[in-house]
Amino acid sequence: MTAHTAQTAGAERAESARSTPTREPVGDIGDLPWIEDAGKIAPPDARELSRLFFDRLQVLEEGTPAHQYARSTLIEMNLSLVRFAAGRFRNRGGGDMEDIVQVGTIGLIKAIDRFDLSREVEFTSFAVPYITGEIKRFFRDTSWAVHVPRRLQELRVDIARSKESLATQLDRDPTVPELAEQLGLSEGEVTEGIVAANGYTAGSLDMPADPADAGRRNAPGRTFADVLGGPDPAMETVENLHALAPLLGDLDDRERRIIDMRFGQEMTQSQIGTELGISQMHVSRLISRILRKLRSGMLVEE
């Protein structure tokens, strides 16, 4: 089939799609052809029809049935572009194919809303970068095992490229100062990026803690879960002391002295009474009152 014959056949198919509606459209769609199932139109016909729909879309008032019909039909007719772009990420991992197609469709919609026929650029050439960019953004935002700032996500890519380039030149792995010089960053920023890169993937807690056991079946060695530390019981005491310190500062001199003698010097109530010249019963009431005040303050702090 010659190029002229193919072009003529494509034009005839597109004209047939324009002039042969299969059912009555809902709402006023103006002079646009009614297409029953835009998703079943072959790509060559979709390209031909897309020019017509883009031409009309530019003059239609937004929000009208005709505008909505033209826009939704353009989306359905060009979903093959999304499937084509999504196929390149099939083996990328980190996302279901259906999710990738949905994300790519967002890029297609953005391309349709921003396309202008006056640029004399094929819509396919204009749309694919939008679709691909949206899919790449999806992987960048969802494939990290630990969430890190986008700045560090992008820095990880730059460090990986520079590391590969310098390793080729130096015939060894580059150092942090060499990477910093290559990227025009400080050593601290490069170190931060390297540390953040560890959050891209996460290992299982059931992995052997000793790398030497990783390649052996039925290895009796301990896993990472076995060597995880537990909560330190002394931490609660430290937290309580930090909360108690400002409350002790709010006591008057006499109250602080009583607390120090009772709990710091571990004096008995009788000894405290003798020291202060008061009865043991009075000391007991004072200590109870001070402790209630401190306990109340601790509850407020929590």
Side-chain angles (χ1 to χ4, degrees):
M1 182 183 291
T2 64
H4 175 73
T5 305
Q7 183 177 5
T8 303
E12 289 174 353
R13 290 194 300 269
E15 181 61 32
S16 174
R18 293 192 193 98
S19 58
T20 312
T22 57
R23 64 180 174 86
E24 289 298 320
V26 179
D28 182 13
I29 61 172
D31 58 352
L32 287 169
W34 176 252
I35 301 176
E36 175 72 17
D37 190 348
K40 293 184 178 179
I41 296 178
D45 298 339
R47 285 194 293 270
E48 183 71 21
L49 281 168
S50 290
R51 295 189 187 96
L52 170 65
F53 274 76
F54 274 120
D55 183 59
R56 299 294 301 127
L57 191 67
Q58 292 178 342
V59 298
L60 291 172
E61 183 179 353
E62 187 172 351
T64 61
H67 184 278
Q68 294 174 355
Y69 166 70
R71 185 170 179 268
S72 61
T73 303
L74 281 167
I75 294 171
E76 293 176 26
M77 282 195 300
N78 290 282
L79 283 175
S80 60
L81 294 176
V82 177
R83 290 189 288 271
F84 167 76
R88 298 165 54 186
F89 298 87
R90 187 179 302 277
N91 299 321
R92 176 75 174 266
D96 186 82
M97 197 61 190
E98 184 179 347
D99 294 335
I100 298 173
V101 170
Q102 289 181 358
V103 171
T105 303
I106 296 174
L108 172 64
I109 294 172
K110 291 180 179 179
I112 289 173
D113 291 340
R114 298 171 186 177
F115 182 66
D116 187 352
L117 276 174
S118 63
R119 297 179 180 178
E120 298 182 356
V121 177
E122 283 290 335
F123 176 68
T124 53
S125 302
F126 181 81
V128 169
Y130 273 90
I131 297 169
T132 304
E134 204 67 32
I135 294 174
K136 287 181 177 179
R137 190 175 298 112
F138 165 74
F139 278 108
R140 182 188 64 196
D141 293 343
T142 61
S143 57
W144 283 73
V146 178
H147 178 72
V148 300
R150 181 164 297 177
R151 171 182 63 86
L152 295 178
Q153 294 180 16
E154 295 171 350
L155 180 57
R156 168 186 170 271
V157 177
D158 294 337
I159 290 175
R161 290 173 180 167
S162 297
K163 185 179 293 186
E164 182 178 356
S165 174
L166 287 172
T168 303
Q169 298 175 21
L170 303 172
D171 198 24
R172 60 172 173 79
D173 287 339
T175 62
V176 169
E178 289 168 343
L179 286 170
E181 183 179 358
Q182 174 83 357
L183 294 168
L185 301 172
S186 68
E187 294 183 19
E189 290 173 314
V190 172
T191 301
E192 185 182 17
I194 294 173
V195 172
N198 293 329
Y200 187 73
T201 56
S204 171
L205 291 177
D206 294 326
M207 291 175 59
D210 185 356
D213 294 335
R216 299 203 304 264
R217 288 188 176 183
N218 302 322
R222 294 182 301 174
T223 65
F224 282 109
D226 295 330
V227 298
L228 285 177
D232 188 343
M235 283 301 299
E236 185 175 356
T237 302
V238 173
E239 292 174 355
N240 289 336
L241 288 175
H242 276 285
L244 186 61
L247 299 177
L248 291 173
D250 292 336
L251 299 177
D252 58 36
D253 293 340
R254 188 189 187 197
E255 290 173 331
R256 279 198 299 273
R257 186 182 177 193
I258 292 174
I259 291 295
D260 175 63
M261 287 189 291
R262 181 68 184 92
F263 299 100
Q265 303 176 37
E266 297 184 351
M267 297 171 60
T268 65
Q269 293 182 3
S270 298
Q271 292 171 329
I272 295 173
T274 302
E275 181 76 17
L276 297 178
I278 56 178
S279 68
Q280 177 183 345
M281 185 64 67
H282 192 186
V283 171
S284 177
R285 287 197 296 268
L286 289 174
I287 292 176
S288 296
R289 187 184 67 187
I290 296 170
L291 292 179
R292 281 197 302 270
K293 182 190 299 186
L294 294 175
R295 191 175 294 111
S296 175
M298 292 282 287
L299 293 174
V300 171
E301 287 294 324
E302 292 176 355

